[in-house]
Amino acid sequence: MPVHTDLRDGVAVLTLDNPPVNGLGLAIRRELVEALERAQGDSAIRAIVITGGGRVFSGGADIREFNRPESGQAPTLPTVIAEIERSSKPVIVAINGLALGGGLELALGAHYRVAVSDAQVGLPEVKLGILPGAGGTQRLPRAVGLETALNMIVSGAPVAASKLAGTRLFDRVVDADVVTAALVFANEIAQSGAALPRVRDWAIEHDNAEGFLAFSRAAVEAASAHYPAPLKCVDALAAAARLPFDAGIAFERDAFVALVNTPESRALRHAFFGERAAAKVADIGSEVKPRDVRKVGVIGAGTMGGGISMNFLNAGLPVTIVETGQEALDRGIATIRKNYENSVKKGKLSATQVEQRMALLTPTLSYDGLKDADLIIEAVFEDYAVKESVFRQLDTIAKSGAILASNTSTLDVDRIAAFTSRPQDVLGMHFFSPANVMKLLEVVRGAKTAKDVLATALALAKAIRKTAVVSGVCDGFIGNRMLEQYIRQAGFLLDEGALPQQVDRAMENFGFAMGPFRMGDLAGNDIGWAIRKRRYVEKPQMTYSRTADLLCERGRYGQKTGKGWYDYRAGDRAAHPSAEVEALIVQHSRDIELERREIGDEEIVERLVYALVNEGARILEEGVAAKASDIDIVYLAGYGFPPWRGGPMFHADTVGLYNVLGAMRRHARGYQGLAWTPAPLLLLLADAGKSFNA
Ligand code: NAD
């Protein structure tokens, strides 16, 4: 039974039982209505208490029902709430823990609410591009006031019950057992025989509601470009302030339906579910138990090794970090400390926390320090010879069962695994720079990687708050392999007539956090240069614009050399268009006898984004990514793809694959048209009228 009923001292206690978060699925809704009906007819029952089993009251809608017919099947949540509200016997909700979304809306339908002081309550719907659709926008302002309600609903952020004590939301906020407190309260109420209060009947009081709403609307509008939901939340609160309750509910309903169908909400929900789906791997069920990881080793204290170590220190895991020389080691440790101290300056960490984390870090020059590590992540130079020497040493030193991970960006993880006698324990853990900040972690599954090794990496990703996506072995894995095609198109556009600042502006207007050339300057153009030099030998058929090489030949590596695609000035990180680079690009077009033409922003966006899509389709058909949403999550979490567009594959689905293919065929007739050979999967899906994510 998803709802347990106990009779305690004349009070029916209904306990929601739908782990993990007591989501309000169809079975629970049905059972609640039936239990309420039974209680009405039972003369032994004077009052009803509703509470949550486990540590949560209710996380709201049952996400397993999303996009399934059950989610809309009666009794819907508004019906359940109406039943609670019209109960002839007092209904008291005992909030024992988290009450989010529909969970809080259900509580708002009760006559009384008692909460434990550290319970978090909130209406997070806006984060999925929608608004609370079961009366939340109308009842919450009546209970906590217009301003608090607006802040909660527009931000979606939860608030501790203790902070809302003293509002009409809670009749009591307690530190003791909340069900016991609710039972005491229920008996008092039942004895008093007072008329049952309904939140819907309360007035919203505010000295200047219209002024506050106008101000909020302007502020929210300025802060939420690209997202329609926050403004609709303000409008729904305005409806609560201005209209009778039922008219307000009707407004909320219409706004909800309108928002659910916006591309922005579809994209945000796609990302929400995609992120959860990414953590599930088809052939790894719950029977595969992750290995225990209590001690971590990191090899290399450079750019990546330091940031990688911080992730584990932050999670309370001891890290031993190995370098080849004292100087590099000292530099690496100093950088970690400096990063932490910057967090102290920003008020994100206390000095004590910094010392606690630094105390977990053991710097050493000896591989012996890695003997008892359960996981060792290598972040040394990107070179097979160096990787080989590291992994051969690890093979002799690491304890049996230790997981050996490489942070390589481009090398073959299977070849690295073969440097050891235990390839089943080897995988890639590809962090992104800065590794202590960037959310994405590509977990690279080698041909021989054991299932429990993969499961361990996924579990660890969760522990260090990363978004993990599993990739098969290929050059560049999911993210960088696609990025290469995107960067190639950006280069071809320069040959044909565009300038870096125009390309960047077009991509940033599309919504990327940073255009390709600013990104190159940040990451260092020499990295791509080194990769291209390898490609010129390994894949001579792969063409690139020469402009990036010409740039590097002049030492313009990017921010680190003070000049790259742009000029940089001391003490200022702004990118200034460079006359030297413009001259270089224009001269290059002349050298290859290409007449420069005006290129529109639409073409720039299409070519860069569809280059991602086409390579993404190949990655999908090769099985390097298991599902299209994995690719989208990589781009959302690691490459600054605009969240309201849901990732490249979802974006292509939204445009329609037939249309995407049409555009690609157009581009195929232009300069470097061979780059536009459509992936067979794209042809297949477009022809069948299907989409990547269906
Ligand atoms: P880096 O040059 O900043 O750091 C590498 C460090 O490894 C140096 O401090 C070096 O002294 C040390 N080292 C070299 N050989 C060693 C050995 N045998 N034992 C111990 N330490 C040794 O390089 P990085 O940018 O941190 O890159 C490291 C790895 O991470 C590479 O494989 C790279 O492809 C990958 N990676 C880099 C980025 C990035 O943006 N920089 C992103 C993802 C992955």
Side-chain angles (χ1 to χ4, degrees), residues 48-93:
I48 298 144
V49 167
I50 303 175
T51 192
R55 293 167 54 192
V56 168
F57 173 69
S58 170
D62 191 334
I63 63 168
R64 290 166 293 202
E65 268 182 19
F66 256 65
N67 302 328
R68 299 230 308 254
E70 295 96 299
S71 67
Q73 192 176 328
T76 59
L77 188 55
T79 305
V80 178
I81 292 170
E83 286 299 323
I84 293 174
E85 207 162 48
R86 80 163 67 93
S87 164
S88 59
K89 300 182 180 180
V91 179
I92 300 110
V93 163

Side-chain angles (χ1 to χ4, degrees), residues 295-299 318-323 360-376 393-394 397-399:
K295 286 188 179 164
V296 178
V298 173
I299 308 181
V319 175
T320 299
I321 190 163
V322 184
E323 255 294 345
L360 288 171
L361 183 62
T362 310
T364 172
L365 295 177
S366 160
Y367 276 62
D368 275 352
L370 302 175
K371 264 189 194 143
D372 55 355
D374 304 298
L375 162 73
I376 302 170
Q393 285 186 74
L394 285 183
I397 270 165
K399 70 180 188 187

Side-chain angles (χ1 to χ4, degrees), residues 472-489:
V473 175
C474 69
D475 196 341
F477 313 126
I478 297 172
N480 284 343
R481 175 170 157 185
M482 288 165 64
L483 192 72
E484 183 164 19
Q485 300 305 327
Y486 168 97
I487 300 286
R488 281 179 77 213
Q489 285 300 321

Side-chain angles (χ1 to χ4, degrees), residues 597-638:
R597 64 181 174 94
E598 195 72 39
I599 300 177
D601 287 2
E602 192 187 349
E603 178 180 343
I604 293 173
V605 168
E606 259 188 20
R607 284 176 51 179
L608 267 63
V609 174
Y610 294 171
L612 292 176
V613 171
N614 201 28
E615 195 64 23
R618 291 209 170 84
I619 282 174
L620 204 53
E621 71 197 12
E622 287 169 24
V624 167
K627 41 200 180 297
S629 62
D630 285 355
I631 297 175
D632 288 330
I633 297 303
V634 165
Y635 266 76
L636 292 169

Side-chain angles (χ1 to χ4, degrees), residues 299 302-304 323-324 367 379-382 387 407 409 431 433:
I299 308 181
T303 311
M304 295 307 288
E323 255 294 345
T324 44
Y367 276 62
V380 301
F381 302 135
E382 187 77 339
K387 304 282 189 203
N407 182 49
S409 311
F431 289 84
S433 180

